[in-house]
Amino acid sequence: MKKRVLRFESLEDRQLLAVTAGLEAAAALPAPTQAAPPGYQVGDVYIASTMDADGDGFIGPSELSYMSYAWFSTKDTENWNPASDIDGDGFVGPGDHAHLSTYWFQTNEALPENTKSFAIYPSDLQNWALFGNQISKISARGGTLSIDARTGALEAVCDYDGFSENLRVTADFKATAASFKGGLELAVSDTGHRYYAELQSDRVYLYYVGNNEQMTLLDGALCSFSVNQTYTIWGQVSGGKVSFGVGDNTLLTYNDTRLSGGWVGFYASSGAVSFSNISVEANPAAASAPTNRVGDVIVHADIVRNGQPVANPVTTYEIYPSDTQYWYLFGDKISKVTARNGSLTIDGRSGALEAVCDYDAFPEDLRVSATFRSTDSTVSFQAGIELAVQDSGARYFAEFRNTAVTLYYVSEGESFTVLASANYSLAHNQSYTVWAQIVDGQVACGVGDAVQVAANDTRLTRGMVGFYGGAGNTVFSNIQITPDPSKVVVPDPTPTPTPVSNPEQVVWDYFVAKIGNLYGVAGLMGNLNAESGGFRANNLQNSYERSLGMSDDEYTAAVDNGSYTNFVHDSAGYGIAQWTFWSRKEALLNFARQQGKSIGDLYMQLDYLWYELSVKYSTLATRLKNAASIREASDVILLQFERPADQSEAAQIRRASYGQAIYNRHVA
């Protein structure tokens, strides 16, 4: 294997070769008499001229000396010097002396274009032949080949020694202008035929360039290149295949045997680009193009159709397969999903992302487990496992957050319905074994060996499985997909209200323990009695029983089992406090599900009511504890907490009387 890294350093022999702008070879130049013309550095584009006989970049006495030696010579005479035949008539004489006089004491930049040739001042590689209209826009300093093509296409081609059929070129690529087209050239022949991998801001095209610069589009791939960011790119001709890639990923591979050996080059037709750390490897050990590694994200896009670019290609993304099927990726920033060393990382900090696996023979009973970890402690995370994912997008979703585990049914319109939820603390930078499964119509998820939430739901049985990141940076590793798992004992997925034989006594005892002041307890309970019709925790506002066509028990059961999904926004009063406003009903529903309780459970409602009074309306709890009469406590709850439509004096007296009756029953 022969490999040379192209560092722009001077040669000991200081030889310069040059090629004219265009495609015609220049006449051989005399060897320079010094390390470099004055003012030139290693890596500069050096402008040579056939008039500059001694190669010092300047027309002066040396050229006159050369001309004097060759005076009156022709091609057949011994003292002939083609560099002194300035007018090209095959004879060194007065005409040539006149031209020399015209450009006396001029530098090469000012000499006639047809006498000029261009080269990059020598390095430890072969000479670069330069082509284009504004050669001065190419430079090679500090190990970096820069091509500024904003005023026209430019090309630098190297006649690399020993170019064989199997050859690989690698370079660090950077675009320094927002709109650009540039890249690698492979197998460049004397005729100009070549393979060309052209990079643009969001894609790569592979061309075959033939006669008269006719470009045939072979293939294309989507790949984003940000301005002023460095990417390691490579191109390779090997075994009748032309390949191009970025980093360790192969983006394009095309079977084509028209070219094998030749030169290598770098090209830009617009924008400004640079190439550094250039490496040319002949006869590489790996003759075939590198393959994608297990876990790589690969992009599929139909961006070339019938030999023409497709303006708006349809793009799909996959994680290269492991011992499961492909992972298909969805979201706005697919590059934020990676799969390396057995770990699937989803960075959802800039938008939700999803990786779905079309697992073969997905059975009804299936379990997915993984080691889960959140790696960014500065933000809350939201991530989880998806089960029974349909082509329509419908699915079950087991979501893990910092403080809770929630099980959702997601409809094809991306409407989320909570099936069950439980409080559970998950710390940052700590690993947990999380799982989700479908067994006999029950959907469940948990952490470790414990079941956190479960629900009976038979809308979905079969489908795909997936992982989701909606916020934070999360990692899933040790992923296992197990068909027909052993059944996990799960709690009753549909809670029912706890039976209560004497609800008034339960409420009295509860608030006596919380408030202590019997006037405050009685004033509060008089209002609750008026709202709920006797402390009925499952009480649905009477007018909505008619409009919804459901009794108290039917409404409660439908909310608990998920068949009724408009509890939050239906504006129906419910429960012992007749919660009506949507934000309070939503908080009540979440509170119930976090505890795994029925929405109509009296004990749950008492806990939530005390939470409201002591936290959200903390001044009310203080006033109940300090109330000097039942009427005072009753008015506080009526006017500042319940706030019914009727807040008249008569209503105040009536509610206080309910509290007095309750007081009399329990205190007497």
Side-chain angles (χ1 to χ4, degrees):
M1 184 175 71
K2 183 176 182 182
K3 183 174 182 179
R4 298 173 70 181
V5 177
L6 312 187
R7 300 183 182 90
F8 295 90
E9 299 173 356
S10 59
L11 289 170
E12 291 185 4
D13 58 8
R14 310 292 183 185
Q15 292 297 311
L16 281 174
L17 297 177
V19 176
T20 57
L23 295 175
E24 295 181 2
L29 298 178
T33 58
Q34 52 188 8
Y40 282 87
Q41 302 176 17
V42 170
D44 283 350
V45 172
Y46 172 56
I47 302 174
S49 171
T50 54
M51 292 178 63
D52 183 17
D54 64 353
D56 65 356
F58 173 76
I59 304 301
S62 293
E63 282 67 38
L64 181 59
S65 177
Y66 278 104
M67 186 172 290
S68 297
Y69 176 77
W71 193 250
F72 288 158
S73 65
T74 63
K75 294 179 180 180
D76 299 326
T77 59
E78 185 176 346
N79 61 334
W80 168 255
N81 185 346
S84 298
D85 183 18
I86 299 174
D87 60 8
D89 64 357
F91 172 74
V92 178
D96 302 298
H97 185 270
H99 281 293
L100 188 66
S101 300
T102 301
Y103 297 102
W104 192 250
F105 288 155
Q106 297 291 314
T107 60
N108 287 357
E109 287 87 342
L111 300 182
E113 290 298 320
N114 63 353
T115 72
K116 292 181 183 178
S117 58
F118 304 88
I120 296 177
Y121 190 67
S123 61
D124 62 353
L125 66 155
Q126 302 305 301
N127 296 97
W128 293 97
L130 308 183
F131 304 91
N133 294 323
Q134 299 224 3
I135 302 298
S136 60
K137 297 292 186 178
I138 301 177
S139 64
R141 292 190 178 84
T144 299
L145 174 66
S146 299
I147 303 179
D148 184 348
R150 285 174 288 191
T151 56
L154 293 164
E155 183 180 7
V157 177
C158 173
D159 186 3
Y160 185 75
D161 281 343
F163 187 107
S164 66
E165 180 179 350
N166 294 334
L167 180 136
R168 182 182 176 96
V169 180
T170 305
D172 288 341
F173 169 83
K174 181 168 68 173
T176 55
S179 179
F180 64 88
K181 292 182 180 179
L184 298 178
E185 297 180 323
L186 294 170
V188 185
S189 69
D190 290 334
T191 62
H193 293 195
R194 59 196 181 275
Y195 298 116
Y196 171 44
E198 179 182 82
L199 285 63
Q200 299 181 19
S201 60
D202 63 348
R203 62 194 62 198
V204 178
Y205 288 120
L206 183 62
Y207 291 93
Y208 173 81
V209 186
N211 293 330
N212 300 317
E213 295 293 289
Q214 180 67 40
M215 299 177 69
T216 301
L217 183 56
L218 302 179
D219 201 358
L222 293 183
C223 185
S224 295
F225 298 95
S226 300
V227 176
N228 291 320
Q229 185 167 330
T230 301
Y231 302 86
T232 299
I233 63 173
W234 56 267
Q236 174 171 301
V237 178
S238 176
K241 291 183 177 180
V242 187
S243 305
F244 175 82
V246 177
D248 295 323
N249 294 328
T250 302
L251 296 181
L252 297 169
T253 297
Y254 194 86
N255 290 329
D256 199 296
T257 58
R258 282 175 284 187
L259 300 172
S260 54
W263 302 337
V264 299
F266 296 90
Y267 178 85
S269 60
S270 65
V273 298
S274 67
F275 305 89
S276 57
N277 297 316
I278 300 169
S279 174
V280 181
E281 181 180 350
N283 298 313
S288 61
T291 58
N292 293 293
R293 296 182 303 175
V294 169
D296 283 348
V297 173
I298 54 179
V299 183
H300 293 281
D302 184 17
I303 73 169
V304 175
R305 193 173 304 149
N306 298 323
Q308 298 296 322
V310 177
N312 298 303
V314 176
T315 307
T316 58
Y317 304 86
E318 297 176 5
I319 296 178
Y320 195 68
S322 57
D323 56 355
T324 61
Q325 303 305 300
Y326 283 100
W327 293 97
Y328 297 95
L329 308 184
F330 304 91
D332 293 329
K333 298 211 171 183
I334 301 299
S335 61
K336 299 292 185 178
V337 181
T338 58
R340 293 280 189 277
N341 301 320
S343 294
L344 174 66
T345 301
I346 302 179
D347 185 350
R349 288 171 291 189
S350 56
L353 293 162
E354 186 179 5
V356 176
C357 174
D358 189 2
Y359 187 75
D360 276 347
F362 186 109
E364 181 175 352
D365 291 349
L366 180 135
R367 180 183 179 94
V368 179
S369 65
T371 301
F372 169 82
R373 181 167 57 94
S374 167
T375 61
D376 186 349
S377 59
T378 64
V379 295
S380 298
F381 62 83
Q382 173 189 350
I385 300 172
E386 299 176 324
L387 290 174
V389 184
Q390 306 293 298
D391 289 334
S392 66
R395 60 196 182 274
Y396 297 119
F397 174 40
E399 178 188 73
F400 301 93
R401 294 182 181 237
N402 302 73
T403 58
V405 177
T406 306
L407 188 61
Y408 294 92
Y409 169 78
V410 185
S411 71
E412 60 184 80
E414 292 296 295
S415 176
F416 284 66
T417 301
V418 176
L419 301 179
S421 185
N423 291 329
Y424 193 90
S425 295
L426 295 166
H428 291 288
N429 292 310
Q430 185 169 331
S431 295
Y432 301 89
T433 298
V434 298
W435 56 269
Q437 73 174 30
I438 300 176
V439 177
D440 290 341
Q442 289 183 334
V443 188
C445 64
V447 180
D449 295 328
V451 177
Q452 262 60 55
V453 289
N456 280 335
D457 199 297
T458 57
R459 282 175 283 189
L460 303 174
T461 55
R462 303 171 183 273
M464 298 178 281
V465 300
F467 293 88
Y468 176 88
N473 189 60
T474 52
V475 179
F476 298 91
S477 58
N478 301 314
I479 298 171
Q480 296 184 9
I481 302 175
T482 308
D484 301 316
S486 58
K487 294 176 176 57
V488 175
V489 177
V490 298
D492 185 354
T494 305
T496 56
T498 304
V500 178
S501 58
N502 187 348
E504 181 179 306
Q505 186 65 51
V506 170
V507 177
W508 176 266
D509 292 342
Y510 184 91
F511 284 116
V512 167
K514 296 293 187 183
I515 297 173
N517 179 5
L518 301 185
Y519 295 141
V521 174
L524 169 62
M525 289 183 64
N527 279 274
L528 297 179
N529 181 62
E531 293 287 340
S532 63
F535 307 104
R536 289 185 296 127
N538 70 342
N539 184 37
L540 172 65
Q541 185 177 335
N542 291 341
S543 61
Y544 280 87
E545 288 187 34
R546 293 187 294 273
S547 63
L548 294 175
M550 288 187 283
S551 66
D552 294 343
D553 289 338
E554 290 170 338
Y555 181 84
T556 300
V559 174
D560 285 340
N561 64 32
S563 61
Y564 181 71
T565 61
N566 200 33
F567 174 80
V568 171
H569 295 287
D570 63 10
S571 300
Y574 184 78
I576 59 172
Q578 286 295 281
W579 286 281
T580 304
F581 193 67
W582 74 268
S583 61
R584 295 178 71 183
K585 290 186 74 176
E586 182 179 52
L588 173 65
L589 181 63
N590 289 335
F591 190 86
R593 286 176 171 166
Q594 288 168 2
Q595 294 193 3
K597 300 291 186 180
S598 165
I599 193 67
D601 188 89
L602 176 61
Y603 295 98
M604 181 277 298
Q605 289 189 15
L606 290 174
D607 285 340
Y608 179 71
L609 177 58
W610 182 245
Y611 161 76
E612 283 196 321
L613 289 170
S614 60
V615 177
K616 299 186 70 174
Y617 302 89
S618 58
T619 59
L620 299 187
T622 301
R623 295 186 65 179
L624 291 176
K625 291 178 180 181
N626 297 322
S629 67
I630 294 173
R631 173 64 188 270
E632 178 186 346
S634 178
D635 285 352
V636 166
I637 297 301
L638 175 68
L639 301 176
Q640 299 183 38
F641 185 75
E642 291 291 353
R643 298 175 180 175
D646 184 3
Q647 299 182 21
S648 65
E649 177 67 18
Q652 296 175 35
I653 294 172
R654 184 169 58 253
R655 293 210 175 192
S657 70
Y658 295 157
Q660 186 65 54
I662 292 169
Y663 179 88
N664 293 340
R665 285 196 293 272
H666 291 278
V667 174

